[in-house]
Amino acid sequence: MLTADTLGPLLFFATALLLLALCSRQLSLSVQEVAYLLFGRSEDMAMVTLFLIFLPGIILHEASHWVMAKLVGLKTGRFRVWPEKKKDRLGLGSVTVQDGGPLRNTLVGMAPLIVGTLVLAWIGGQVLTAGQLGALLTGGDWLDALAVLLRALTTADGLLWAYLCFTVGNI
């Protein structure tokens, strides 16, 4: 049951998800536009560039659907990880899954959100020191938090982990 105490955070969460979705879409369109201009106004090169930039996230996304479908006992078919024009949108991958009814279809559909969230939480907690960052930000220590973040990013593989967060978070 919704109470006044839970309604505020729920509305904040829903608003944040909506804003993130809009920002992710705008980011995707901007990357395509830059690639389009860089490669002599070639739509195909813009599409392939976007695909290559987001490839790790695409693979995780489609694999999440596939694994969840297998876990809930559904048959899977075609597994595609390659860009494809679909009328007015761009498909970067897909998995064909047998219809399993509302519950199993929901689980298969939500799999990338669940897996992506777990991956981002693990990278944030283990690699990018999110707990320490959160404590510093909560305490108002903005400069110390920035120093911790920069230290995490400048480790040997810090930028790679940040790139993986970027690709997983935007697919």
Side-chain angles (χ1 to χ4, degrees):
M1 179 175 193
L2 287 178
T3 65
D5 291 339
T6 58
L7 189 58
L10 186 61
L11 286 174
F12 176 80
F13 179 70
T15 303
L17 279 181
L18 177 63
L19 289 173
L20 285 171
L22 293 172
C23 289
S24 180
R25 178 163 169 69
Q26 186 57 49
L27 175 69
S28 177
L29 291 172
S30 297
V31 168
Q32 287 180 68
E33 187 175 345
V34 168
Y36 177 75
L37 294 172
L38 281 175
F39 292 109
R41 302 189 182 278
S42 168
E43 288 183 18
D44 290 338
M45 286 302 294
M47 181 173 64
V48 169
T49 300
L50 181 74
F51 170 76
L52 292 174
I53 288 172
F54 291 108
L55 184 58
I58 295 165
I59 291 170
L60 182 70
H61 182 102
E62 300 307 334
S64 298
H65 285 306
W66 187 86
V67 168
M68 183 62 80
K70 292 294 187 184
L71 287 173
V72 297
L74 299 176
K75 292 181 183 175
T76 58
R78 183 174 173 226
F79 185 98
R80 180 185 60 80
V81 177
W82 188 252
E84 182 176 84
K85 291 179 188 176
K86 295 180 179 183
K87 295 181 184 174
D88 62 339
R89 60 184 294 266
L90 175 63
L92 299 174
S94 66
V95 177
T96 304
V97 176
Q98 166 193 12
D99 186 11
L103 177 60
R104 292 194 293 176
N105 288 351
T106 299
L107 291 171
V108 171
M110 288 183 58
L113 177 63
I114 295 165
V115 172
T117 300
L118 292 172
V119 167
L120 291 174
W122 183 84
I123 293 172
Q126 298 299 313
V127 179
L128 300 177
T129 61
Q132 186 180 7
L133 279 172
L136 290 169
L137 290 173
T138 302
D141 298 326
W142 297 90
L143 291 177
D144 289 341
L146 181 60
V148 167
L149 178 62
L150 290 175
R151 192 168 38 251
L153 292 175
T154 56
T155 60
D157 54 359
L159 289 177
L160 175 64
W161 289 109
Y163 163 70
L164 288 174
C165 284
F166 171 77
T167 65
V168 169
N170 283 290
I171 292 296

